Amino acid sequence: MTAADLEQLIIARLVRDQGGTSQTWRRALGRIIVRDPRTHAHCNWDVRPAGTDAQHAAIETLLDEVRLQHSIVVAG
């Protein structure tokens, strides 16, 4: 899975679960940061969410689940 695919998956889940628009959630989510899997063997990606406290909480809750399913991604 690429970082772009992961971003689309996360945004789609946020829209489905929380409502709102994909544009709003894309801004709140921020970029997917891909790290070297040699130094981050368990999960090589991260985000720095922005937005409201409620958006931040929704993103963090979803990320816990998504990291279990998609722990390693490639840039792109």
Side-chain angles (χ1 to χ4, degrees), residues 7-65:
E7 178 184 41
Q8 291 298 320
L9 176 115
I10 292 168
I11 291 168
R13 292 273 308 271
L14 287 165
V15 169
R16 185 188 74 197
D17 296 348
Q18 303 295 322
T21 66
S22 59
Q23 184 178 20
T24 299
W25 284 112
R26 187 176 316 280
R27 280 192 301 260
L29 179 65
R31 288 188 27 185
I32 303 288
I33 302 163
V34 179
R35 303 184 192 287
D36 188 337
R38 291 177 289 178
T39 57
H40 295 80
H42 296 289
C43 184
N44 76 325
W45 61 270
D46 198 8
V47 297
R48 297 247 165 37
T52 66
D53 289 342
Q55 288 171 328
H56 189 95
I59 290 167
E60 288 296 335
T61 299
L62 178 59
L63 291 181
D64 290 340
E65 181 182 329

